[in-house]
Amino acid sequence: MISEELKKAAERYANDVCRGSHHRWGMEQVCMVDFMEGANWRVKASWHDAKETPQERRFCLYILKDGSYGCGYYHKRDNTIWYEQFENVEKWAYFDDLIPFLED
């Protein structure tokens, strides 16, 4: 989500939640900042440093230092880890951690 989309989502949140609640009335700016900080935390918390080892057989996305990216299942094969083939992996994330929660 780009920052402009995030700001619009935060404004909608502040309108829906803060203005509809007497104990949050007049706190729209605080609500927007909290929303944006939470959204940024959620994305950043999903990514792991390349020094960390993923769990076996979990589908991962990875970002290389040059900005390119790829995906694959983490597995050991011939004593090689999938991303050791890419010495310039910067970070990786489990695919499951990046998809939206589908529960209500």
Side-chain angles (χ1 to χ4, degrees):
M1 178 180 288
I2 62 173
S3 60
E4 191 60 36
E5 291 173 339
L6 180 57
K7 185 176 179 182
K8 288 179 183 178
E11 288 173 359
R12 285 192 302 270
Y13 172 79
N15 287 333
D16 293 346
V17 175
C18 294
R19 292 185 183 149
S21 172
H22 290 290
H23 70 279
R24 292 186 182 173
W25 191 265
M27 304 282 288
E28 289 85 359
Q29 291 295 87
V30 174
C31 288
M32 286 178 61
V33 170
D34 289 348
F35 181 93
M36 293 170 70
E37 288 295 320
N40 284 324
W41 175 86
R42 172 68 174 93
V43 171
K44 289 177 183 177
S46 298
W47 290 94
H48 303 267
D49 187 271
K51 295 173 188 167
E52 294 181 54
T53 304
Q55 294 175 358
E56 184 81 20
R57 305 273 181 222
R58 297 259 330 250
F59 191 68
C60 299
L61 302 175
Y62 56 85
I63 298 175
L64 302 177
K65 291 178 183 174
D66 67 3
S68 61
Y69 52 88
C71 60
Y73 285 93
Y74 168 78
H75 61 280
K76 294 178 182 177
R77 177 178 35 183
D78 301 325
N79 294 327
T80 303
I81 301 172
W82 62 273
Y83 64 81
E84 283 181 347
Q85 300 168 10
F86 305 99
E87 293 179 3
N88 60 347
V89 168
E90 185 172 308
K91 55 188 171 180
W92 59 269
Y94 294 118
F95 179 76
D96 294 345
D97 290 344
L98 298 174
I99 59 175
F101 297 118
L102 301 177
E103 300 174 4
D104 287 345

